[in-house]
Amino acid sequence: MNTRESDFWNERSGPRIAPEHFGDIVATAADLAIILSESGTVVSVTTNPLNSALGQIGHWEGRRITEFLAPDSTRKVMAQLEAVLKDDRARPDSIEVNHLDGAAWDFPVRYTLHKTGRDGRVLMLGRDLRPVAELQQRLVRAQLALEKDYEAQRVYETRYRVLLEAARDALVLVDVVSGRMLDLNSGAATLLGGQTASMNGGAFTQEFEGRRRAEFIDELCKIAQADGRTGLTVELRRQAGQQVTIHPTLFRNAGERVLLCRIETPAANTSLPIADPMTRLLSLLYRGAAEGIVFVDAQNRVTQANDAFLSMMDVDAVAELRGTAFEDLLSRGGIDLKVITDPAQVGAYATRLITRYGSQLAVEVSGVPLGETGGHGIILREVGRTAALREDGAAEGPNEPAGGSNARALVGSAPLRDIVASMTDVIEKQCIEAAVELTENNRVAAAEMLGLSRQSLYVKLRKYGLLERGDPEV
C-alpha cells in the first residue's frame, strides 16, 4: 500500500480512520505519545498499555516538557519543535531524548515529531530505547570478555612457545586420529632432519623407516597407557641407521586425543660434542665407572646420573629420579646431605642409600662443588666391595683396649661377657668420635645423628674422656 499522505487519506483508497480508534492505534504503535502546544506545554500524554515499565505519567499534562528532560536533551527537543512548526512539509529526523522524572524515570526515548494540523499542536511519538541500550551493554560486555579471553590466550600461547623451545628434549605433539604432527620444537626438527615450519602438519609416521600409520600410532598409545616408562625404538628415515627411542604421553585436549612424544637418542649420541681428548676421557669415565655418579643442582635436586647409580637405585632411567631431592635418597636425610656438601669434608662419608623399593644400601659418599652453578657432583661406592679389604688391612689404634683383629686373642683369657663389653665400648667410642668430627663438634647435630638425646651424648663423652677442658657439660 502506498503510504504517501495524499493516498493514505484518499476516500477512493478506503475509509478514513475513525477518530475514536486513532488514539488507540497511536498508543499501541508507539511506547509514548505526547501532544505538545506551540510553547512546549504537554496537552496530553498516552503510554502503550503493553509497556508497563513506563508507569503512570499523567501528571505531565499541563506542564512544560522541558521539566521532564535532561539538560542535554532540552535544546534538541525545542529545536526540533521549532523546525516542525515552521515548515509543513518538513520531516525532521528522529531524536534521542533522556527523560528525568525524579526517581521514577531515567532512560532514553527516541522521538519523531509530527504536526497535527490543529491549533499548532505537535504529536511526539516515542520508542523506549531501554531494550536497545541493554542489548548494547550486553554486546559491550561480551566484547570485553572476548578481549580478555584473547589476551589470556596470547599469554598462554607465549608461555607454551617459550617452554616448548626451552625444553632440552625433542618434543612432538601428534594427533591420534590423523597421525599428523600438531607442533614440535626446534630440537625435534633438528633431530628428525627437517625444518619446524615445513614439518608442522606432516605425518609423524613418515619420519621413520618401515612404519605404518595405524599400527605405529596404536603401539605408541598402548605404551603410553601401560606405564609410560618404556619407549619404542625406531629408525629415522632421513638419517639412515640412526635409531631413536620415543617415550609417549597420552592426554585429551578439547576432546581430542593427543600424544606428546619425547624423542631420545642413544646415550652415546646424546653426549655433548667432544671438544678435546680430556672431555672424551671424562665422558667415558662417567658412563663406564663402577661407582655411582650423580649431579645435583643448587637446590640439591637430581639432574643427571650414570648407569652405576641407576643400578644402585634399582631404576631403569634417570627420568624417574630427575627432580628428586637427593636428601630423600639418604637414610639420615638432611644430616647426611650437609656433611656431603660441606666443602671442609675430606674423604668419603659412610651412610646408607634408600633404593626405589625402600631397601637400604651401605655406601661411601663424597661430594664435589661445581663452581658457579651452585650444584654438586656426588660419587657413591658400595661399602660391600671394600669391606673385606678393610677388615684384613685395618690396624687398631695404640690406645684402644681391644680391636676386631685382637678379639681372637682374647678368647680364653676373659669371660665372653667381658670380651663383648670391651668390644662394645670400642665401637661406641669410635661412633661418637666420628659423629663429633663429621658435625665439626656440633653436639646437637652429633646427638641427632647418633639417635641420642643431648644429655645422653654428654654422659658418653665424659665416660670416654672426650670432653675438653672448659667444654660445657649441659
Side-chain angles (χ1 to χ4, degrees):
M1 177 172 62
N2 194 328
T3 59
R4 289 181 301 171
E5 184 178 354
S6 58
D7 294 336
F8 189 74
W9 296 106
N10 196 315
E11 289 289 350
R12 292 178 307 210
S13 301
R16 296 187 179 188
I17 300 175
E20 61 271 18
H21 300 300
F22 183 74
D24 294 336
I25 294 174
V26 170
T28 306
D31 292 319
L32 188 62
I34 304 174
I35 300 293
L36 292 180
S37 66
E38 294 181 359
S39 62
T41 302
V42 177
V43 178
S44 66
V45 58
T46 305
T47 58
N48 191 332
L50 302 178
N51 189 348
S52 59
L54 295 175
Q56 299 297 326
I57 56 176
H59 61 282
W60 287 18
E61 295 181 359
R63 301 170 66 178
R64 289 184 60 82
I65 187 66
T66 55
E67 297 181 27
F68 308 102
L69 296 175
D72 60 334
S73 301
T74 300
R75 183 182 55 82
K76 291 193 294 184
V77 172
M78 298 310 295
Q80 196 78 328
L81 178 61
E82 183 180 355
V84 172
L85 291 173
K86 283 183 178 180
D87 187 1
D88 293 341
R89 295 170 300 172
R91 296 192 180 277
D93 295 334
S94 61
I95 57 174
E96 293 185 5
V97 173
N98 291 315
H99 279 291
L100 294 176
D101 188 6
W105 274 50
D106 185 8
F107 54 84
V109 179
R110 179 183 288 120
Y111 283 108
T112 56
L113 278 67
H114 309 273
K115 291 186 68 174
T116 62
R118 296 183 61 183
D119 303 328
R121 295 177 179 179
V122 175
L123 172 63
M124 294 179 62
L125 297 178
R127 177 67 62 186
D128 186 3
L129 293 181
R130 281 180 299 178
V132 177
E134 292 175 359
L135 179 59
Q136 290 175 341
Q137 291 176 358
R138 290 175 60 186
L139 290 175
V140 170
R141 289 195 295 268
Q143 180 67 24
L144 292 175
L146 286 175
E147 290 294 336
K148 187 176 181 180
D149 290 342
Y150 290 150
E151 183 64 25
Q153 183 178 356
R154 286 192 291 268
V155 170
Y156 288 124
E157 176 70 16
T158 301
R159 294 176 181 175
Y160 160 72
R161 297 307 314 177
V162 170
L163 288 174
L164 190 65
E165 290 300 323
R168 296 182 179 180
D169 296 326
L171 301 175
V172 184
L173 290 168
V174 182
D175 181 60
V176 172
V177 176
S178 64
R180 296 190 174 276
M181 291 180 283
L182 302 175
D183 204 352
L184 70 163
N185 62 1
S186 56
T190 302
L191 180 61
L192 297 176
Q195 299 293 329
T196 304
S198 61
M199 296 179 69
N200 265 332
F204 188 53
T205 312
Q206 293 181 357
E207 300 298 327
F208 309 101
E209 289 288 352
R211 293 288 175 173
R212 295 182 180 179
R213 186 187 66 82
E215 297 176 357
F216 183 57
I217 298 298
D218 287 345
E219 192 169 359
L220 290 177
C221 290
K222 290 178 181 179
I223 293 174
Q225 292 171 345
D227 54 11
R229 296 174 182 172
T230 59
L232 177 63
T233 301
V234 292
E235 182 178 340
L236 297 178
R237 182 177 62 84
R238 305 191 192 194
Q239 302 181 33
Q242 175 68 56
Q243 289 191 336
V244 295
T245 302
I246 303 175
H247 298 275
T249 300
L250 184 63
F251 65 97
R252 287 187 180 273
N253 183 26
E256 301 293 334
R257 301 175 73 202
V258 179
L259 280 168
L260 173 61
C261 297
R262 179 170 56 87
I263 307 176
E264 290 185 349
T265 57
N269 296 324
T270 56
S271 59
L272 296 175
I274 303 304
D276 52 62
M278 179 59 72
T279 305
R280 178 178 177 81
L281 292 175
L282 291 175
S283 178
L284 293 173
L285 176 63
Y286 169 76
R287 295 198 300 268
E291 291 78 7
I293 302 177
V294 186
F295 292 100
V296 298
D297 59 17
Q299 288 73 40
N300 295 312
R301 297 188 177 276
V302 176
T303 59
Q304 194 59 263
N306 67 351
D307 290 340
F309 182 75
L310 299 182
S311 298
M312 292 179 182
M313 290 296 301
D314 295 328
V315 299
D316 297 328
V318 70
E320 300 178 42
L321 297 175
R322 188 174 287 126
T324 303
F326 188 69
E327 61 187 74
D328 294 341
L329 307 180
L330 302 173
S331 61
R332 290 187 290 267
I335 298 175
D336 284 344
L337 182 64
K338 181 179 178 181
V339 176
I340 295 170
T341 57
D342 187 351
Q345 172 66 20
V346 179
Y349 168 73
T351 184
R352 290 184 176 275
L353 188 68
I354 302 175
T355 67
R356 175 184 180 182
Y357 300 104
S359 60
Q360 295 190 4
L361 181 67
V363 293
E364 289 182 341
V365 189
S366 58
V368 179
L370 300 179
E372 297 179 355
T373 64
H376 285 78
I378 299 173
I379 302 174
L380 303 95
R381 174 180 297 173
E382 291 187 44
V383 174
R385 297 185 178 183
T386 57
L389 295 176
R390 290 192 174 184
E391 289 176 2
D392 293 340
E396 303 296 339
N399 298 325
E400 292 177 356
S405 59
N406 296 327
R408 184 184 298 271
L410 294 175
V411 176
S413 63
L416 177 62
R417 180 177 57 187
D418 296 339
I419 296 175
V420 173
S422 63
M423 295 295 295
T424 301
D425 289 342
V426 171
I427 296 173
E428 189 175 54
K429 180 182 178 183
Q430 291 177 348
C431 290
I432 293 173
E433 288 177 336
V436 171
E437 180 181 354
L438 289 173
T439 58
E440 298 181 352
N441 205 28
N442 186 328
R443 307 293 171 79
V444 175
E448 183 179 355
M449 181 180 291
L450 294 170
L452 300 173
S453 66
R454 190 170 59 174
Q455 290 77 8
S456 298
L457 176 62
Y458 277 102
V459 169
K460 294 183 182 296
L461 289 173
R462 285 197 301 271
K463 175 182 177 181
Y464 298 116
L466 298 178
L467 275 177
E468 298 179 3
R469 181 175 299 176
D471 282 352
E473 297 192 3
V474 182

